[in-house]
Amino acid sequence: MHSVLTFLTTIVMVAVGTSVLADGHGDCGPAGQSIRILASDFPAIHAVVDEAELRCGKAAAEFVRNHTTEARTIMNAALKPNPSEYSSVIVANSTLTQLMNDGLVRPLDSLVEKYSDQIKPNTLISIGGNVMAVAFMANSQHLFVRQDILAKVGIGSIPSTYDELLIAAEAIRRAGIMEHPLVMNMQVGWNIGESFNLVYLAHGGEFFQPGTAEPAINSEAGLAALGTLKALVEYAHPDYLTHASNETQGLWEAGKAALGIMWGSRGAVILDDEGSSEAVTANTVLAAAPSVEPDGIPGATLWWDGITIAKNVPDEQAEATFAALISGMSPEMVMKNNDDAVWLLDGFEPGAAAAGVSATAAGGAQPYPMIPQIGLMHNALGNELVDFLKGDESAEQALADAEAAYVTAAKEAGFLK
Amino acid sequence: MTHRSFFWFVFPTLSAMMLFIALPIVSVLIQSLHVEHEQVLVVVESCGPFGCTQTMDIDHEATQALRDEQPLGRFNGLNTYINRSHLAFADISEAWQTKATLTEFVQSIMNLPFYRALAFTLTYTFGVTPFVLVFGLAIAVGVNNLPKLFKGPTIFCSLLPMMVTPLVGALTLFWMVDGDGVIGATLQYLFDDPALSLKASASLTWIMLIVYGIWSSIPFSFIVFYAGLQTVPKDILEAAMIDGATKWQRMWHVVVPHLMPLLIFITLIQLMDNFRVLEPIIGFSAQAHATSLSFIIFNDLNESGYPLFASAAATSILTILGVAVLLTPVLIRTWRDFHRKSH
């Protein structure tokens, strides 16, 4: 609870203090080093790396950056050789696990201590007592609603539970406004697995038997989650099994949806004046992810994005890279790019686009699990649940299939005997 | 040619084939017989902006020690081949014993990822290949009969589907069949059903993928047949005409037999290509309704963030065996023809 409060304070409070970088150029660490960054490709990450390059690019012998949506698929291979291809990878919860599974990132404790005046303690990601990453932004799924359409069907408050969400969807359909008022990212594979995770966590589910890699999804919570999911997709577009973020955002911006469970990072993009009409943007409200019972656990996974430093690089290079990226997280950077993300940094003034993520975190949503074998479980869920949603098999069978697929994969990967 | 000079003649090709084809297959085979070492897991506490939770981490020193001992991993024999993700013998025999009716038995087999993928892969292969042969020949004959002036542009246009990158072609069509796209909206209008969606039904998705497969493969068979048509001996055609053969008879008794070797060549290539179908499934986001053997391999290596090399290798070897089985009848036939001619 304490850290949730800290998180809220970060979001709500405007920066005071820490103006170490008053002259605009902070400490860039050892000069003449090579800084090579691998990162995903979205505006908030560009903003951090741009600022790092602006401040510390000149002091470095080279400053190379590779922004690619395929970062996740190449990073382990790129960090394995010694010296590794990149000195830093910008990661999120699940990708940090992927790097740590192969032991490719170094503990940052000594660097954090050295640069502690520029780092907020609540942005440190520690595992087993070692700081492994420094986070700079938060993300989660949450509810998007069109207030004007809810008002038309006589619903004054924003749905806060799945039941209320279903009532609202039914009311909109009954009124003949939209046949399919709900959008969710349900593309078969990663997205459908993640959508299950949200509802499953809201139902209080656990993915594994505590302390082991044995699956625990074929449970009451699992059945309940599938029931909720099935009820929701009745109101989703018939093509929902092909919809990921780009498609759901498109439907929303085209005014073809009134209720949505989408990523917080799409909030700013939807609310801006591009790609949509005034009627949609002015009436779109971002709210907490729905829960099962009133004031229950929101159906969302909390994510952070942050920096890591490669293990297989010389210490000076590691320090220069760390210092550059930390300088990229300055309050000035946040000020310039305030609406690009829900920043965990000083200087952030939360706007309308950040409201959904803040409310979801405040409601006590769970972070996306950082467990070594979670990727295998996620993939099994992503591939095996679809038959149930299509109506081809029972919920019990779908969960049994997902467990069987996971166990097969986990045995091969050495997580289970 | 003496044996000695023949050897030196084929040596460069042979060594390249060894290096780039045989060795990788052997390495994949070896890979498929091994699985990862046991991961030594420890329970740790993980803290971040959202609080602290109990989680697990891999004990790298202990795991690395296991790896150094046996770099290939644990020997697993053929167990990967018969596990649930592949041939699933245990699941099949269980289903055979417990399921009451044949329908239920077939259903439970189609619930296994490998057999489900195999079902689509075979349907796709045998759905696409004949159409590609027939349409390719028809277009080639048509173009061959055009006046010279139109031939060039027509050939260019006919080759377009092959020039378009498969993934781009698939994506373009995917957007067109969307409910808001040209084809999707037209179909909804024609059938007067605003909820009609090609992407939501399994059978329509299969048809869509097969039509895409035919569209993208026709240029290949067309251009091969067209080249073959240029070599049809004129005097035989004229002799057939004098004998009073109709257009169809000339086509069926002169042109097609002449093109037979090409027909077999295209059949071979198409069977191999279509058995490895992947791009349209990704492009159409069709994995809800259709998966292929190549798609399973892609998924094993790419999706979980933890590449399952043994699993992918086993599916690869099974794919190679599948291609071999498919090609056998065609190869036996070619071999017989070759034998007959040489006597």
Side-chain angles (χ1 to χ4, degrees):
Chain A
M1 199 61 214
H2 168 73
S3 44
V4 171
L5 282 179
T6 334
F7 171 73
L8 274 183
T9 329
T10 323
I11 291 180
V12 176
M13 262 180 35
V14 180
V16 251
T18 59
S19 49
V20 180
L21 311 171
D23 60 346
H25 291 278
D27 185 358
C28 287
Q33 297 294 324
S34 160
I35 298 174
R36 307 178 305 279
I37 294 160
L38 175 65
S40 192
D41 192 16
F42 56 87
I45 288 188
H46 277 279
V48 172
V49 183
D50 282 346
E51 186 79 7
E53 185 167 14
L54 183 75
R55 288 171 179 247
C56 295
K58 285 211 184 83
E62 60 168 349
F63 193 104
V64 187
R65 47 200 285 185
N66 181 5
H67 289 280
T68 162
T69 50
E70 292 299 305
R72 179 172 82 104
T73 48
I74 62 171
M75 62 186 190
N76 283 47
L79 256 53
K80 236 166 224 163
N82 193 355
S84 58
E85 187 75 21
Y86 299 97
S87 56
S88 166
V89 183
I90 296 184
V91 296
N93 313 33
S94 67
T95 39
L96 175 61
T97 311
Q98 195 181 322
L99 287 176
M100 285 185 59
N101 280 354
D102 286 342
L104 296 173
V105 284
R106 60 170 68 201
L108 303 173
D109 300 79
S110 58
L111 289 171
V112 167
E113 201 168 315
K114 197 163 175 187
Y115 295 85
S116 59
D117 50 351
Q118 300 171 52
I119 301 172
K120 291 161 60 81
N122 71 320
T123 60
L124 300 178
I125 311 297
S126 75
I127 291 164
N130 294 321
V131 176
M132 301 308 292
V134 182
F136 53 82
M137 62 172 276
N139 200 358
S140 87
Q141 303 83 356
H142 58 72
L143 192 65
F144 288 65
V145 292
R146 280 278 300 277
Q147 245 179 349
D148 54 334
I149 293 178
L150 283 186
K152 260 189 222 167
V153 297
I155 296 177
S157 64
I158 291 170
S160 67
T161 65
Y162 287 113
D163 288 339
E164 288 176 23
L165 188 61
L166 289 168
I167 291 169
E170 177 61 27
I172 295 169
R173 179 179 281 180
R174 278 271 177 81
I177 301 174
M178 286 172 194
E179 187 61 22
H180 306 292
L182 183 69
V183 286
M184 292 169 78
N185 298 333
M186 291 293 283
Q187 190 180 67
V188 176
W190 198 91
N191 283 285
I192 202 172
E194 181 68 356
S195 286
F196 172 80
N197 294 346
L198 312 182
V199 188
Y200 187 57
L201 289 171
H203 279 280
E206 291 275 348
F207 292 98
F208 303 100
Q209 321 266 10
T212 72
E214 297 287 342
I217 49 162
N218 197 354
S219 58
E220 287 294 310
L223 290 175
L226 278 184
T228 307
L229 215 51
K230 178 94 176 170
L232 289 173
V233 298
E234 295 297 320
Y235 296 97
H237 191 280
D239 294 346
Y240 68 91
L241 289 172
T242 64
H243 286 171
S245 280
N246 286 338
E247 288 78 20
T248 48
Q249 181 195 329
L251 285 170
W252 193 272
E253 293 196 310
K256 292 190 168 180
L259 301 160
I261 296 176
M262 295 186 275
W263 281 98
S265 49
R266 297 280 165 162
V269 193
I270 283 177
L271 292 179
D272 70 10
D273 51 5
E274 273 174 51
S276 189
S277 63
E278 174 72 22
V280 172
T281 54
N283 287 304
T284 298
V285 175
L286 279 53
S291 54
V292 177
E293 300 292 331
D295 300 322
I297 306 166
T301 52
L302 298 177
W303 290 70
W304 50 260
D305 286 83
I307 62 163
T308 60
I309 301 294
K311 190 179 185 189
N312 296 331
V313 291
D315 287 344
E316 297 81 36
Q317 222 176 72
E319 188 183 339
T321 307
F322 184 80
L325 285 170
I326 291 294
S327 79
M329 301 182 195
S330 66
E332 289 84 349
M333 184 282 298
V334 174
M335 229 180 296
K336 276 186 270 181
N337 305 283
N338 193 61
D339 288 336
D340 278 348
V342 179
W343 300 104
L344 295 168
L345 307 170
D346 280 333
F348 178 54
E349 294 191 47
V357 176
S358 321
T360 304
Q366 302 274 316
Y368 184 84
M370 290 214 293
I371 303 173
Q373 70 278 13
I374 189 70
L376 298 173
M377 173 63 87
H378 196 140
N379 189 37
L381 290 166
N383 289 328
E384 297 289 346
L385 298 183
V386 54
D387 284 338
F388 165 70
L389 293 173
K390 276 163 38 185
D392 292 350
E393 68 182 24
S394 66
E396 289 85 357
Q397 182 66 44
L399 289 172
D401 285 350
E403 279 204 348
Y406 163 75
V407 167
T408 310
K411 273 187 185 159
E412 185 185 328
F415 289 108
L416 284 176
K417 279 180 195 156
Chain B
M1 208 185 287
T2 63
H3 284 301
R4 195 186 149 81
S5 47
F6 178 74
F7 172 76
W8 285 111
F9 182 66
V10 297
F11 179 73
T13 325
L14 217 56
S15 46
M17 277 170 67
M18 283 299 288
L19 199 61
F20 297 117
I21 301 175
L23 280 183
I25 292 179
V26 170
S27 120
V28 168
L29 181 66
I30 295 173
Q31 181 95 63
S32 71
L33 303 176
H34 293 81
V35 291
E36 293 269 348
H37 287 294
E38 214 174 287
Q39 309 272 0
V40 185
L41 291 173
V42 283
V43 176
V44 292
E45 194 184 43
S46 137
C47 293
F50 319 115
C52 293
T53 45
Q54 288 286 323
T55 176
M56 281 185 288
D57 193 14
I58 295 170
D59 182 342
H60 289 289
E61 276 170 25
T63 309
Q64 191 58 43
L66 287 173
R67 261 182 217 159
D68 290 342
E69 224 170 87
Q70 284 177 296
L72 263 176
R74 283 179 294 163
F75 184 75
N76 194 33
L78 292 174
N79 285 333
T80 306
Y81 287 90
I82 59 171
N83 71 13
R84 184 183 176 275
S85 304
H86 300 89
L87 297 174
F89 288 151
D91 298 76
I92 291 181
S93 74
E94 194 201 314
W96 182 249
Q97 280 158 12
T98 53
K99 298 297 173 194
T101 66
L102 195 65
T103 330
E104 280 180 28
F105 175 66
V106 172
Q107 265 174 356
S108 59
I109 288 187
M110 281 304 135
N111 190 29
L112 294 165
F114 181 82
Y115 293 100
R116 175 190 300 215
L118 191 64
F120 174 74
T121 311
L122 288 174
T123 315
Y124 181 86
T125 308
F126 290 108
V128 171
T129 311
F131 283 106
V132 167
L133 289 171
V134 172
F135 286 136
L137 182 60
I139 296 173
V141 172
V143 171
N144 202 33
N145 289 332
L146 279 178
K148 216 168 185 181
L149 184 65
F150 298 114
K151 267 188 188 170
T154 320
I155 292 176
F156 176 79
C157 292
S158 314
L159 288 181
L160 270 179
M162 196 152 81
M163 289 184 220
V164 179
T165 316
L167 204 56
V168 175
L171 275 176
T172 313
L173 207 63
F174 179 65
W175 290 322
M176 284 166 79
V177 300
D178 189 271
D180 294 328
V182 184
I183 300 176
T186 312
L187 286 177
Q188 285 178 356
Y189 176 75
L190 285 178
F191 289 94
D192 196 22
D193 177 6
L196 179 74
S197 160
L198 289 179
K199 300 171 183 175
S201 128
S203 42
L204 289 178
T205 304
W206 282 35
I207 293 172
M208 182 168 71
L209 290 172
I210 289 172
V211 168
Y212 166 80
I214 296 170
W215 175 78
S216 65
S217 295
I218 283 178
F220 167 71
S221 73
F222 152 68
I223 202 72
V224 174
F225 280 132
Y226 183 75
L229 283 176
Q230 312 309 310
T231 68
V232 176
K234 286 244 162 51
D235 42 353
I236 301 184
L237 278 179
E238 278 162 16
M241 255 195 287
I242 293 166
D243 287 345
T246 63
K247 224 173 189 176
W248 282 112
Q249 285 170 328
R250 268 178 279 148
M251 182 76 197
W252 193 243
H253 294 290
V254 180
V255 176
V256 170
H258 181 78
L259 295 180
M260 212 49 184
L262 292 180
L263 200 100
I264 290 170
F265 165 72
I266 297 172
T267 312
L268 281 176
I269 301 282
Q270 279 295 305
L271 285 178
M272 281 193 279
D273 269 0
N274 294 331
F275 199 69
R276 292 178 288 125
V277 52
L278 170 69
E279 291 101 331
I281 296 179
I282 309 272
F284 283 94
S285 303
Q287 53 272 45
H289 306 291
T291 52
S292 71
L293 296 186
S294 297
F295 179 82
I296 304 188
I297 300 173
F298 179 77
N299 188 61
D300 278 340
L301 289 179
N302 217 26
E303 281 308 304
S304 64
Y306 205 104
L308 299 171
F309 292 113
S311 197
T315 315
S316 302
I317 295 290
L318 290 172
T319 309
I320 293 175
L321 291 178
V323 170
V325 169
L326 277 184
L327 297 193
T328 312
V330 190
L331 288 177
I332 288 177
R333 201 200 139 99
T334 318
W335 174 253
R336 278 204 200 122
D337 286 355
F338 175 76
H339 236 57
R340 210 179 299 137
K341 272 175 200 155
S342 62
H343 282 299

